[in-house]
Amino acid sequence: SGGAFGRNRHLRERKYNMESAEASGERVARMLGCDQADDPLAAMRAKSAEEIIEATKPAQGLFGKGVKFGPVVDGWAVPDDPGLIFLEGRMADVPFMLGSNADEGAIFLKQVSVKSVEAYNRLLKIFGRDHASELMKFFPVKTEAEIKPALNKLVGVSIFVSAARSMARAAVKKNPKVYLYHFTRVPPIERLKPLGAFHAAEIFYAFGNLGPIIERNETDRGLSEKMTAYWTNFAKTGDPNGEGLPLWPAYETDKDQHLELGAEIKTGQGLYKEECDVFEKLLIRRIKESHPERRLR
């Protein structure tokens, strides 16, 4: 889902304007009241999970406030920045399946405090830098009512669709068996419909855990059966295609194809191409600025 181009925290270095993992650890020690102990590590390890959560108030979702816990590029368990590994062509030579959902941003919008058109445009100027005018064209907002859907699209395309495409473009240089999808089916449950094809909605379908309400719908049941077959074929052979399934073409950079998984399963091309081109430029710049010692394309 999406890509490996997050702002990955490093062990001792400040990257992507994030404090190092060691600095974060020292901050957590202070929050837990362990920083003055004779053995701070032993004192921290003696704390229960509940005590750690209560003291640190971990950040939830993409934009939640609080201590952000996550994988650390420590040179050992995570030997290098995952995004850099792909951009430099050092990833494993294996088949690859990846993709995104149509409404990835929907469940994260409560964490974004953008209420006015002016605040929205300021956000695009900060985020888009010298590409801000292009982002305003791609994700325009003229009224407050348009802010929420525009943010949903902005988050979804910038963090998930574009990241998945960038990963596919990098991965296919190492192995031609790369398969890109875009999930568009809105689960037919009334309380979930406002979220659209939300982040993680495809998991119900890929693993056949639809639940009684969705299961009764023939369209959803058929989509789930085909997705389960694609995922199983890929796990067995490295190729999702099989008898009775619509063809899922392997990704090629010049064709920029993906498989749409929705009420109808069909091949699409150039999904948000112009937007993804801009976000890829911003991505490369951000990584170059955080890793000036590395040589990227």
Side-chain angles (χ1 to χ4, degrees):
S1 176
F5 301 112
R7 287 170 167 79
N8 299 296
R9 193 185 302 278
H10 287 240
L11 184 64
R12 295 188 176 92
E13 300 170 293
R14 185 179 182 87
K15 299 287 187 182
Y16 308 112
N17 201 32
M18 294 174 65
E19 65 181 348
S20 71
E22 287 193 344
S24 178
E26 291 170 347
R27 185 157 59 93
V28 169
R30 291 192 293 274
M31 290 177 166
L32 291 170
C34 299
D35 55 314
Q36 300 301 315
D38 292 338
D39 188 340
L41 280 178
M44 292 172 76
R45 289 170 178 152
K47 296 292 184 180
S48 68
E50 290 76 16
E51 288 175 306
I52 295 170
I53 291 172
E54 177 60 29
T56 60
K57 302 292 191 293
Q60 301 291 310
L62 289 174
F63 310 110
K65 297 179 180 179
V67 176
K68 294 185 183 297
F69 291 104
V72 173
V73 181
D74 62 353
W76 183 257
V78 183
D80 202 350
D81 191 303
L84 274 170
I85 288 174
F86 273 83
L87 292 177
E88 294 177 342
R90 295 185 289 113
M91 58 286 195
D93 182 4
V94 295
F96 198 20
M97 177 195 286
L98 72 167
S100 57
N101 291 3
D103 297 286
E104 296 276 10
I107 66 173
F108 303 110
L109 295 187
K110 287 185 178 180
Q111 298 174 329
V112 181
S113 58
V114 177
K115 305 298 183 184
S116 67
V117 175
E118 293 75 16
Y120 175 84
N121 288 331
R122 282 198 301 272
L123 173 68
L124 288 193
K125 287 178 182 177
I126 295 170
F127 182 58
R129 302 171 70 165
D130 53 349
H131 292 283
S133 60
E134 294 169 87
L135 296 190
M136 289 178 182
K137 181 185 74 172
F138 296 144
F139 309 97
V141 160
K142 290 185 170 56
T143 67
E144 290 185 4
E146 295 175 326
I147 293 174
K148 189 173 180 179
L151 282 172
N152 175 28
K153 184 180 175 185
L154 174 65
V155 171
V157 177
S158 65
I159 297 178
F160 294 94
V161 176
S162 172
R165 192 194 76 157
S166 294
M167 290 283 283
R169 284 155 65 94
V172 77
K173 294 177 182 178
K174 179 69 66 106
N175 189 303
K177 297 175 75 172
V178 174
Y179 301 91
L180 186 66
Y181 71 83
H182 190 59
F183 181 85
T184 61
R185 180 63 176 170
V186 178
I189 298 177
E190 287 303 317
R191 65 184 178 84
L192 296 179
K193 282 183 179 179
L195 296 175
F198 58 89
H199 179 66
E202 84 287 359
I203 294 174
F204 308 144
Y205 293 80
F207 290 94
N209 295 324
L210 297 181
I213 297 176
I214 307 178
E215 176 71 32
R216 286 197 293 268
N217 189 304
E218 185 177 343
T219 298
D220 294 280
R221 190 168 61 252
L223 173 61
S224 177
E225 289 170 355
K226 289 181 173 62
M227 286 180 63
T228 300
Y230 281 131
W231 263 243
T232 304
N233 290 340
F234 181 80
K236 289 192 295 187
T237 69
D239 185 333
N241 291 291
E243 185 177 351
L245 295 172
L247 176 67
W248 186 340
Y251 185 82
E252 298 177 58
T253 300
D254 57 340
K255 295 181 179 179
D256 193 20
Q257 290 180 304
H258 67 278
L259 189 71
E260 180 180 340
L261 299 166
E264 179 186 356
I265 297 178
K266 58 187 178 181
T267 300
Q269 189 170 359
L271 181 65
Y272 295 117
K273 182 184 183 307
E274 291 182 282
E275 293 91 331
C276 289
D277 287 344
V278 170
F279 288 128
E280 189 164 89
K281 290 176 185 176
L282 291 170
L283 165 71
I284 298 299
R285 179 189 297 184
R286 172 166 58 82
I287 292 179
K288 282 184 174 180
E289 288 174 349
S290 291
H291 298 271
E293 75 284 0
R294 308 290 278 267
R295 298 182 63 183
L296 303 178
R297 59 190 169 96

